[in-house]
Amino acid sequence: MGGRRPDWEDEVSTVPRKKTRRKVQQPKLYKVLLHNDDYTTMEFVVYILMTVFHRSEADAVRIMLHVHHNGVGVAGVYPRDVAETRVAQVEALARQHEFPLRCSIEEA
């Protein structure tokens, strides 16, 4: 083989690629809000907080009293899909028990 290099050798890169680090973005969080009304019982709100939001009885009572006195309160903070699922669960349980309990989400 003569002193001439094959054409394909010029096309091969021997420079290592830099590793790029991608920052994983945390999903936006949303507050799930419970709204006070004149018909839903305090016991039912505590039940919702304990079963849907997995709150202890003491936390559930504290949040329920906050909703009762202030008109609205935060049941939990979650990524959007989880927040929407919790709202749907609350609304389904409220309808099933014939309560007008309202639940909504807002960006945290």
Side-chain angles (χ1 to χ4, degrees):
M1 295 188 65
R4 187 165 145 59
R5 294 172 52 187
D7 290 338
W8 58 268
E9 280 188 3
D10 292 333
E11 295 176 18
V12 177
S13 174
T14 58
V15 178
R17 285 193 276 168
K18 289 183 182 178
K19 289 187 178 181
T20 56
R21 287 190 170 211
R22 291 186 180 157
K23 286 190 177 185
V24 177
Q25 288 185 346
Q26 295 296 323
K28 288 184 182 179
L29 296 177
Y30 291 82
K31 295 186 275 190
V32 178
L33 305 174
L34 292 177
H35 301 270
N36 191 39
D37 63 68
D38 294 333
Y39 301 101
T40 305
T41 64
M42 293 179 176
E43 293 81 10
F44 184 73
V45 174
V46 169
Y47 167 76
I48 290 291
L49 288 163
M50 291 175 67
T51 57
V52 175
F53 298 97
H54 310 288
R55 297 295 188 149
S56 68
E57 186 175 5
D59 278 348
V61 169
R62 182 182 53 76
I63 294 167
M64 176 274 298
L65 288 172
H66 179 85
V67 171
H68 180 70
H69 292 295
N70 298 297
V72 67
V74 177
V77 180
Y78 307 97
R80 185 180 191 110
D81 58 337
V82 175
E84 289 173 345
T85 300
R86 301 280 163 100
V87 168
Q89 290 173 326
V90 169
E91 290 175 347
L93 283 168
R95 276 194 309 272
Q96 183 180 352
H97 290 87
E98 298 181 354
F99 287 118
L101 181 61
R102 281 190 1 155
C103 193
S104 64
I105 65 171
E106 76 176 29
E107 197 168 325

